[in-house]
Amino acid sequence: MMLLNLLCVFGSHRSKLPSFGKLSMSKPPSGTSERRTSFFGSRTSGASMPRNSTMAGFGGTEKIKDSRPLHDKSYVQQCIRQLHEFLTEQGYPGTLSAKTLQSPSTKEFVKMFEFIYRQLDPTFEMPKSKVEEEVPALLKALRYPFVLSKCSMYSVGAPHTWPQALGALIWLIDTVKISWSLSKQELLLSDFCEDTANIEEGAEYNKLFLDYMAETYSKFMLGEDDFEEEDEAFLTKLKRLYNVDEALLESMEEKHRFLSKELERLEKESQTDRLMTKRMEKVKLQADLKKLQSYRSKLETFTASLENKFSELTDELENTVSHLETLKHERNELQHLLQNQKFTPADVERINREKRELQQTIASLSKSLEDAEQHRWNEEIALAKVKERLDLKLAEYHKLARKLKLIPMSAENACGHDFEIRSFECGSGSGVQQKTQIKMLLRKLISDVEEEHSRFSNLKLGLEESCEQVNSNIVDKSNDLKQIRERIRKLDEQLDTDMQKLAREEQGWAAEVESAENHLKLLQKKVNVGYDEAVQELKGAQQQYHLELQETNEERRTVASNLVSVFATAATHLAITEKCMEDLHSKVQRICSKAIEEDEAEVQNLRELLKSFVSQANCL
């Protein structure tokens, strides 16, 4: 607790210091990271290289030179990826594309700037006029260390101005992330920093803090980025100054680890991470949908090309058949003329020569016809195979659509629309129309899924707030449970003490009973010895019986009265002892039963409390 208070005081003192540019006191990120960019540019890791001070002589008018490689294409592409990721994660309402981020217009740049600035100030509204002057003024108010001129705002997408504007947006994104980080730290440490106003900020603390600032800044100016030794020394001095209890810190850390493990276990048991599973399923379904759409377009293109080839081969075959029929008709006419006319040897030779030429023509045409029919047969076989593959792909598409609950029209996700792709027997025009209709329906379905995603995101935020409240309740209840366990332990110790005390008393009573029994046996032994002596005396004094009868009767009465008194005393003592034992036993039973009933009631309350926690966790 003391360490957390020290951290809060340290943060408050750092916030009160004057701002010298954008100098970071924490360990800077690695220069090879693609997720973050520093306005100091890329650094050589481990190299001891002196730096120029960015404080401009502590308030001077010297301009700061931008050391970022803004004219390096790879660095610009990295910044564009970072900008695209940030806008996508935060739900940018406008359209984002590679062309837009490569050379955006002034209007698009202003929209992106307004969206990022609203992460710092949700009430911010960009004025309608003079935005070219407003944006540089806002950056200057945020202490942007470089100059963004007003002239560059008139042509943001130009190759010579867009890198500077992009660097300003990246710097603004880093500022937003730092603001979020500070707000989270303030939220986490708010409960521990309530009493920090009572800590005196005296000369000793100021001296320690200024020494720490001087050492770290001198090392930073020499090119070093690691200040772990200075941080440890500063924390040690602060602990020594404020008398921090290390044992208490270790116990708090152990308790924090235990509660973190318990929270992880409860999260795994309650299975509250269903939103992430739905997101992954959505991404997979979108990827499968894009693959199906691309494959369907390829199939349509291939089917159209096959249909064109088939139509061309059919026309060529029809022309060949008609030409063959014409040649047959000419041959018949020539044969008829040959039979009906008289020919000279020259005519016969000419006719034979023409006959041979015609036979050669017929043979060549027959061969061409056979080749055309064979080609047609091969094309029909290829078309049949293509149709079979198309039917298989359509079957896979229908199977995936049924898995996604898009087929039939009465399916859960179909919403009364027909997503089924039928065979293209009616022509390519109907296929294109069906493709256009399904694309429109799928776009609408994607928009509905995105709306559902935003709704689930809002629900997740509500659940996270509920989870934080439940965590605070768990911490409170764990403290109560610890107090109840301490009370149970004390009651157990008291019960053990009472039981030991009762055991000792029982041992004492058993010793008393044993002594009484020994005394009774001794008395009985003495009585028996006296009786024997009396019998012997009676036998020896029978001659004097009559003379001493009165004396003997008196002695008998005395002995009888003594025996009666002894037996009465022993019986009374035993009765009193038994009564005391019964009273003590009943008292012990009442105390034990009362303690057991109280313990059972407390245990039952704890069980009901635990059941309520488990039910609330399961509901969440």
Side-chain angles (χ1 to χ4, degrees), residues 36-137:
R36 297 182 181 179
T37 56
S38 173
F39 88 92
F40 291 103
S42 61
R43 301 173 181 171
T44 304
S45 177
S48 178
M49 185 170 57
R51 303 173 181 164
N52 296 326
S53 175
T54 59
M55 291 185 287
F58 292 91
T61 58
E62 181 182 357
K63 291 185 179 180
I64 302 172
K65 184 179 179 181
D66 194 350
S67 60
R68 295 175 295 181
L70 294 177
H71 295 288
D72 187 2
K73 293 183 180 179
S74 60
Y75 182 82
V76 172
Q77 294 300 322
Q78 178 183 344
C79 294
I80 289 174
R81 285 196 299 271
Q82 186 177 355
L83 177 61
H84 185 271
E85 289 176 358
F86 181 85
L87 294 177
T88 305
E89 290 174 356
Q90 302 305 321
Y92 180 66
T95 57
L96 291 174
S97 62
K99 183 178 179 181
T100 303
L101 295 180
Q102 291 295 333
S103 58
S105 62
T106 303
K107 185 177 180 181
E108 291 170 344
F109 174 81
V110 170
K111 286 184 179 179
M112 290 187 288
F113 181 88
E114 182 180 6
F115 177 80
I116 299 172
Y117 194 90
R118 282 185 178 177
Q119 307 301 319
L120 293 174
D121 184 11
T123 61
F124 174 72
E125 291 290 337
M126 181 65 73
K128 301 298 182 181
S129 60
K130 295 184 179 180
V131 293
E132 295 80 6
E133 299 177 0
E134 188 68 19
V135 172

Side-chain angles (χ1 to χ4, degrees), residues 366-380:
S366 299
K367 187 177 181 181
S368 299
L369 179 60
E370 290 176 357
D371 294 337
E373 288 179 350
Q374 184 66 30
H375 185 65
R376 176 186 177 184
W377 174 254
N378 294 332
E379 292 296 332
E380 287 178 352

Side-chain angles (χ1 to χ4, degrees), residues 195-209:
D195 298 330
T196 55
N198 298 326
I199 299 177
E200 296 181 358
E201 301 175 0
E204 295 181 359
Y205 174 80
N206 291 333
K207 183 178 182 300
L208 290 176
F209 185 69

Side-chain angles (χ1 to χ4, degrees), residues 482-521:
K482 186 176 180 181
Q483 294 177 0
I484 291 171
R485 286 178 178 173
E486 185 67 23
R487 290 176 56 191
I488 291 172
R489 186 183 61 79
K490 292 181 180 179
L491 290 173
D492 290 337
E493 292 178 355
Q494 185 178 0
L495 180 61
D496 293 337
T497 305
D498 294 339
M499 292 296 291
Q500 292 176 2
K501 185 177 180 181
L502 289 175
R504 288 194 296 270
E505 291 179 357
E506 287 180 356
Q507 290 178 359
W509 296 333
E512 291 180 0
V513 171
E514 185 177 0
S515 64
E517 289 178 353
N518 293 330
H519 184 63
L520 179 61
K521 289 179 181 179

